Amino acid sequence: MHSDPYGSAVDGPDPVATTATGSGPSVSGDPLSGSRGEVDDLARARAQLLAGGSRNHRLDAPSLRHALVDLHEFWLTTKGNELGIRPDSGFAIVAVGGLGRREMPPYSDLDLILLHDDVDPALVAEVADNLWYPLWDAHIKLDHSVRTVPQALQVAATDLTAALGMLEARHIAGDVELSHLLIGGIRRQWRTGIRSRFDELVAQAQARWQRSGQIAHRAEPDLKSGRGGLRDVQLLNALSIAQLTDGMPGLGPDSPGGGLASAHGRLLDVRTELHRVAGRARDQLRAQDADEIGAALRIGDRFDLARSLSDCARTISYSVDVGIRTANNSLPRRGLSKLRRVPVRRPLDEGVVEHGGEVVLARDARPSKDPGLVLRAAAAAAQNGMPISASTLNRLSDNAPELREPWPKGAVGDLLVLIGSGARAISTIEALDRTGLWGRLLPEWGAVRDLPPRDAVHTWTVDRHLVETAAQASALTTRVARPDLLVLGALLHDLGKGRGGDHSEVGAGLAIQIGTRLGLWPTDVTLLSEMVRHHLLLAQTATRRDLDDPATVQSVVDRLGGDPVLLELLHALAEADSLATGPGVWGDWKSSLIGELVRRCRLVMAGEALPVPDPIDPAHIEMAADGGVHVALDPGSATHTYVVTVVAPDTPGLLSHAAGVLALNSLRVLSASLGSYGGSAINSFVVAPRFGVPPQAGLLRQELIRAIGGEIDVLALIDTKEREARGNEPLVDRTGAAVPVQYAQAPPRVIWFDVGGPGGSPGQVEPGQVIVELRAEDRLGLLSRLARVFERNGADVRWARVSTLGASVVDAFCIALTNGDTRAAREELERAILAVVPAPEPKTEDGAVHT
């Protein structure tokens, strides 16, 4: 039988069946059609169930399905007994599809197998005809087959769709031992053959998702075949029967939306009402039916129904992702694969390791005592493009305490790394959201979770749109001086929707609330709030107002308070927001209009301020007095951070050696202040260990002295360490020098500030010096590499301010070009800088990313 387990059937004769009649209308008076009264009773009973009287007295969706199951079982049992289909008769009636699962929507096909124990073909044909014809006369869609147990097993072995249907077979009437032979045989065959069929099973599901799309983000979703639909629940059941998953991977009743079982039940209820409203079998929910279905289920209007469906579908989709991943790791090994070594646990961050391609907790991790562990795990997952294991998410959900307010700086940094990781962040945030962890971090998220858009131009639900906007903004971080505020603003810009009132104004208040909780500086909280309040300003002004009118430009400048940083952030946010809205929303016309508006506003605002050095601590001046090499290690102001101060004679290559030693010891530079006094360099680094605790200051000093003396090549060792972190993949040459195999989201940018520029102060930038600012994605040992570039290109670093904001860096260096400050020298230095920073993946002609 070519059975669709959720109601459809593949037409055509079955070459394996002993006897299989074709479907078609019965002939009036045909002796095979049974008594007229019997047919009328079945049809009348079905009609009464489907009519159900007034709305107040009709059966609800679950009760209707159960009543239809009972009706058909009763009729089949009675008819089977009349035809001699009894225990020890050699015949059995077996149900698959909706009747097999006891979840029959009103107009779903009746999927039946007439099993026989190699009975005489003439008798089989007679019994089959007398069973099928009354059902056809009652106008019941029937998908049927007649087989022996070996024939059914043969079909299941060669037809994946039929196998999935028969996995849920259920005995209805007749010889129960015969039914059990089939059911037990199908399941044993499925378990023993799953290794060879797993890839086909996954490929079939992916092809179905490609055809039918995602239920959560479709205006007229396919409830059966769409991603997150009923067939995906069947897929999970099949993996559970194969003993590869537990059937409810990762989500229980305490999860948002009530977990997998609740999502499945609600989706069945919607499909049941869809059949009842349409008066026939239908799987695609049409927009004109949504209000009536929502009212029948007491959900609300079509927007409320869409939100409920999104919740169900995303819960099921997450469960399927976890189920497939778990099943793949559980597949039995054969042959040489048995000899594979057990996966190594590779440290990723404090308390977080990689194991078997998933992010899991380290053995000594204590989630109940480490509030920042959730974000560290999420940041590591997004940055490395790996999923967090379901067991880890469950453990964190059960044990992780709330972050104290204001958040520790390390937690804020991990949040920035997560949302700044581009498309890799989407699945990580989805997993956090489905397990309740994301709502714990951002309680305000609940109002927009699964909220459908009111405008047809939007592709995504509001919460997914926010995450998509942050992903788009991550590719624009090097265009702004505050990449941290750009990705935060992108994540929060529509958070005021679903609450009534102007969502921009409501969202601005929420941004203040969230920024304060995160512990941002008051000025940054204000800037973040203004981003959310004015996130539509540039697009609306550029497309609706006359840009040649000076009053138009002045009005924008006045509303932004003349702040060029806010203007820069809003420009990038407008592009990210449009790109995340839907196809065709961002184009050359809109881009050119907004760009021209921003250009004119900048002319009115008149420039930006120069970076300035931090003052030197008097205690460090005392350390420089003896002219020796000193390294101090002190606790930082935030958890898991330390301040490393290096004071040494200011010799060529010192900065590269010092930064390289820190990178070799897995110390990530969060910020740095580089200066000099007399003949000594005074460099202070705020660092965070990637895992564990940092080495003692004495060991760092010894390695620094060895590096200065030429005993070790720190950059060569960093390259080796980077390759090992990427699984020994070779570094790829894209710009004439080695760059890491994990590429940036945004293109790097180098900005030059000349002496005497706006904002400069005497004594900060001396004649013959320039300031070069780098905006790029971070990389292992990046500061050491940059220092080596300056050294080799005749650029003497006089002071520097280094900042790591999430996964991005904004580094300003005051340099003197010893070989002359010429255009050619600047261009050569810029090329050398860009050669050692992460570059985005190149794209093909059609815009796809090269892999």
Side-chain angles (χ1 to χ4, degrees):
M1 178 188 68
H2 301 274
S3 170
D4 179 333
Y6 279 96
S8 64
V10 178
D11 295 331
D14 188 333
V16 184
T18 302
T19 302
T21 62
S23 63
S26 65
V27 179
S28 178
D30 190 322
L32 295 176
S33 64
S35 69
R36 189 76 255 168
E38 162 187 275
V39 172
D40 291 342
D41 288 344
L42 177 59
R44 188 182 306 110
R46 278 178 56 89
Q48 288 176 347
L49 288 175
L50 297 180
S54 66
R55 173 166 294 180
N56 293 332
H57 295 90
R58 74 174 187 172
L59 294 174
D60 61 18
S63 299
L64 176 59
R65 292 195 302 274
H66 296 156
L68 287 170
V69 168
D70 291 342
L71 171 64
H72 289 96
E73 280 193 31
F74 176 76
W75 189 90
L76 288 169
T77 302
T78 303
K79 186 64 177 178
N81 186 66
E82 175 188 320
L83 298 176
I85 303 176
R86 304 186 184 94
D88 302 323
S89 66
F91 284 97
I93 301 173
V94 176
V96 295
L99 183 59
R101 293 185 305 274
R102 293 190 174 91
E103 50 184 46
M104 281 199 71
Y107 295 97
S108 179
D109 290 2
L110 195 60
D111 298 336
L112 298 173
I113 304 174
L114 178 60
L115 279 181
H116 65 94
D117 191 10
D118 204 16
V119 178
D120 178 66
L123 179 57
V124 171
E126 181 182 355
V127 171
D129 288 344
N130 280 283
L131 183 60
W132 307 144
Y133 271 89
L135 294 171
W136 287 326
D137 286 340
H139 303 291
I140 295 174
K141 289 185 178 180
L142 178 65
D143 183 22
H144 65 285
S145 64
V146 183
R147 295 194 177 97
T148 64
V149 171
Q151 289 170 345
L153 292 174
Q154 178 61 31
V155 169
T158 57
D159 186 330
L160 184 61
T161 302
L164 290 172
M166 283 189 270
L167 282 175
E168 298 170 325
R170 185 168 62 89
H171 173 77
I172 299 296
D175 192 335
V176 67
E177 294 298 327
L178 193 61
S179 297
H180 287 172
L181 279 176
L182 172 65
I183 296 168
I186 288 289
R187 296 191 170 206
R188 281 192 302 273
Q189 181 175 275
W190 180 252
R191 283 193 293 270
T192 58
I194 187 60
R195 187 178 185 278
S196 61
R197 308 189 78 171
F198 181 76
D199 290 343
E200 181 188 1
L201 181 67
V202 174
Q204 184 187 75
Q206 291 173 339
R208 171 168 51 79
W209 297 335
Q210 186 67 29
R211 290 192 308 270
S212 303
Q214 300 186 54
I215 291 177
H217 307 292
R218 279 284 178 103
E220 295 188 333
D222 185 331
L223 304 179
K224 182 175 70 172
S225 300
R227 181 120 163 76
L230 294 169
R231 279 191 172 178
D232 284 345
V233 178
Q234 181 204 11
L235 173 61
L236 282 173
N237 290 337
L239 295 176
S240 178
I241 291 171
Q243 299 179 348
L244 299 179
T245 71
D246 60 4
M248 290 281 184
L251 293 179
D254 295 331
S255 303
L260 181 61
S262 176
H264 180 207
R266 279 182 288 160
L267 207 57
L268 276 173
D269 290 347
V270 175
R271 187 171 184 239
T272 300
E273 290 300 333
L274 174 60
H275 279 210
R276 184 146 54 180
V277 167
R280 62 184 181 87
R282 177 175 287 158
D283 298 314
Q284 187 170 23
L285 176 61
R286 298 185 304 180
Q288 59 262 38
D289 297 329
D291 283 320
E292 185 175 353
I293 292 172
L297 293 174
R298 293 179 172 82
I299 292 175
D301 63 12
R302 59 191 177 96
F303 293 104
D304 297 318
L305 178 62
R307 188 171 194 174
S308 179
L309 283 176
S310 174
D311 183 18
C312 296
R314 289 165 74 174
T315 296
I316 294 171
S317 293
Y318 169 74
S319 300
V320 168
D321 289 342
V322 173
I324 290 176
R325 196 165 65 242
T326 303
N328 187 51
N329 293 334
S330 304
L331 286 174
R333 300 176 183 176
R334 293 180 181 175
L336 294 177
S337 62
K338 289 184 177 181
L339 303 178
R340 288 184 303 177
R341 292 187 301 172
V342 175
V344 177
R345 298 171 70 88
R346 178 170 68 92
L348 298 175
D349 205 336
E350 180 66 28
V352 182
V353 300
E354 173 199 355
H355 180 71
E358 294 182 323
V359 173
V360 301
L361 299 185
R363 292 188 178 94
D364 59 351
R366 298 291 181 268
S368 61
K369 299 181 179 180
D370 190 350
L373 189 55
V374 173
L375 280 169
R376 287 206 303 280
Q383 206 169 24
N384 292 275
M386 293 183 293
I388 308 175
S389 78
S391 59
T392 294
L393 287 169
N394 290 340
R395 187 178 172 194
L396 290 171
S397 181
D398 292 340
N399 298 288
E402 301 285 344
L403 282 163
R404 61 176 174 81
E405 296 183 14
W407 282 17
K409 289 184 179 179
V412 177
D414 289 327
L415 176 65
L416 293 175
V417 171
L418 169 61
I419 61 179
S421 297
R424 295 190 299 269
I426 296 173
S427 59
T428 302
I429 293 176
E430 184 76 2
L432 294 177
D433 192 33
R434 290 301 115 183
T435 50
L437 290 167
W438 189 246
R440 191 181 302 177
L441 296 169
L442 292 175
E444 299 84 357
W445 200 260
V448 296
R449 180 183 291 113
D450 297 301
L451 184 66
R454 298 279 172 164
D455 191 341
V457 75
H458 279 268
T459 299
W460 310 103
T461 55
V462 175
D463 59 332
R464 177 64 180 272
H465 169 71
L466 292 175
V467 179
E468 291 280 345
T469 304
Q472 294 288 349
S474 69
L476 308 175
T477 50
T478 54
R479 283 175 27 182
V480 298
R482 293 300 304 272
D484 53 338
L485 294 182
L486 174 60
V487 292
L488 275 175
L491 185 71
L492 304 180
H493 75 280
D494 276 345
L495 199 60
K497 288 186 174 180
R499 304 170 190 267
D502 183 343
H503 80 276
S504 298
E505 292 295 332
V506 174
L510 294 174
I512 292 176
Q513 178 178 307
I514 294 171
T516 303
R517 184 190 312 138
L518 297 183
L520 303 182
W521 287 107
T523 53
D524 288 347
V525 172
T526 301
L527 190 54
L528 180 64
S529 176
E530 290 301 294
M531 282 183 67
V532 175
R533 175 176 284 109
H534 298 302
H535 73 271
L536 297 175
L537 175 63
L538 296 183
Q540 290 180 345
T541 303
T543 57
R544 300 177 185 177
R545 300 279 298 275
D546 181 10
L547 299 187
D548 292 327
D549 183 355
T552 298
V553 177
Q554 189 62 52
S555 68
V556 173
V557 172
D558 291 343
R559 291 187 66 180
L560 300 185
D563 188 345
V565 176
L566 177 57
L567 176 67
E568 181 183 64
L569 289 168
L570 290 176
H571 187 192
L573 178 57
E575 180 174 343
D577 189 12
S578 296
L579 290 170
T581 297
V585 177
W586 183 257
D588 293 340
W589 174 76
K590 188 174 184 180
S591 174
S592 62
L593 286 177
I594 294 179
E596 179 61 18
L597 173 61
V598 170
R599 186 186 71 82
R600 297 187 183 201
C601 288
R602 279 180 175 151
L603 291 175
V604 174
M605 291 178 178
E608 303 175 8
L610 280 173
V612 296
D614 291 329
I616 299 176
D617 189 329
H620 297 160
I621 295 177
E622 293 182 11
M623 294 173 63
D626 64 2
V629 177
H630 302 273
V631 176
L633 177 67
D634 301 297
S637 59
T639 308
H640 300 300
T641 64
Y642 300 84
V643 179
V644 178
T645 303
V646 175
V647 180
D650 193 359
T651 57
L654 174 63
L655 175 57
S656 177
H657 296 321
V661 167
L662 297 178
L664 286 177
N665 286 276
S666 298
L667 299 176
R668 184 176 182 227
V669 177
L670 302 180
S671 64
S673 177
L674 315 177
S676 61
Y677 184 83
S680 295
I682 302 176
N683 301 333
S684 291
F685 306 88
V686 178
V687 301
R690 294 188 181 275
F691 45 84
V693 296
Q696 295 181 354
L699 294 177
L700 294 175
R701 177 177 179 272
Q702 291 176 12
E703 290 192 12
L704 177 59
I705 292 174
R706 292 178 63 202
I708 294 173
E711 297 180 36
I712 57 174
D713 185 343
V714 290
L715 283 182
L717 294 175
I718 289 173
D719 283 340
T720 301
K721 189 179 182 71
E722 189 173 57
R723 275 193 296 269
E724 291 174 350
R726 309 295 180 203
N728 289 319
E729 298 178 38
L731 298 178
V732 182
D733 188 348
R734 294 195 183 278
T735 58
V739 294
V741 296
Q742 181 176 319
Y743 298 99
Q745 303 299 315
R749 185 181 179 193
V750 176
I751 303 173
W752 296 86
F753 297 92
D754 290 311
V755 175
S761 301
Q764 296 173 347
V765 181
E766 300 175 2
Q769 298 177 0
V770 295
I771 296 176
V772 58
E773 184 177 89
L774 171 68
R775 301 175 182 177
E777 299 288 322
D778 199 7
R779 176 190 182 186
L780 182 65
L782 178 59
L783 183 57
S784 178
R785 299 175 195 277
L786 291 173
R788 181 71 62 89
V789 165
F790 289 132
E791 175 191 346
R792 290 179 174 176
N793 286 269
D796 184 18
V797 179
R798 299 301 174 86
W799 56 263
R801 288 183 60 189
V802 175
S803 299
T804 302
L805 304 170
S808 303
V809 298
V810 179
D811 298 346
F813 301 88
C814 178
I815 61 174
L817 293 168
T818 57
N819 297 329
D821 185 5
T822 64
R823 180 176 179 179
R826 290 192 181 192
E827 290 177 349
E828 183 179 356
L829 178 59
E830 185 168 331
R831 283 194 298 270
I833 291 173
L834 295 177
V836 298
V837 298
E841 280 277 17
K843 294 185 178 180
T844 60
E845 292 183 0
D846 61 358
V849 175
H850 240 334
T851 57

